Amino acid sequence: MVVGNIKNIEAKVIESPLVKDTSMKVLVSPKEGWEGHVMRVLEVEENGYTPKHSHPWPHINYIIEGEGALVNEAGKETPL
């Protein structure tokens, strides 16, 4: 079992021309023993963004706070 506190995990700024003002914390990954899965927290600042993308595996988005939009595999945009 992995026990941790998000406050103790270092945020890494995502450096990419497709991303603006976004950092990421990896909570759980294969490194901690969760093979085949990763749980991350992305912090997107006001006016920041991440690219539209998809994965060939299940992708869960859990919005903690703020506003934005999520685009599903059919291209439908859902306001958050």
Side-chain angles (χ1 to χ4, degrees):
M1 171 173 40
V2 176
V3 177
N5 187 319
I6 193 169
K7 294 176 185 176
N8 299 330
I9 298 172
E10 179 183 353
K12 296 186 179 177
V13 175
I14 300 174
E15 300 288 344
S16 168
L18 303 175
V19 178
K20 178 182 175 194
D21 298 334
T22 301
S23 62
M24 176 175 60
K25 294 181 178 185
V26 178
L27 305 180
V28 185
S29 71
K31 177 181 164 188
E32 291 79 27
W34 198 16
E35 289 303 320
H37 295 80
V38 177
M39 182 176 181
R40 305 177 181 112
V41 170
L42 273 68
E43 296 179 4
V44 182
E45 300 297 327
E46 187 172 351
N47 297 314
Y49 53 81
T50 61
K52 292 180 185 175
H53 65 283
S54 63
H55 301 284
W57 58 82
H59 192 134
I60 298 168
N61 291 276
Y62 176 70
I63 312 307
I64 298 171
E65 67 178 291
E67 297 179 17
L70 189 67
V71 180
N72 71 12
E73 63 276 355
K76 180 182 177 203
E77 187 172 296
T78 301
L80 305 170

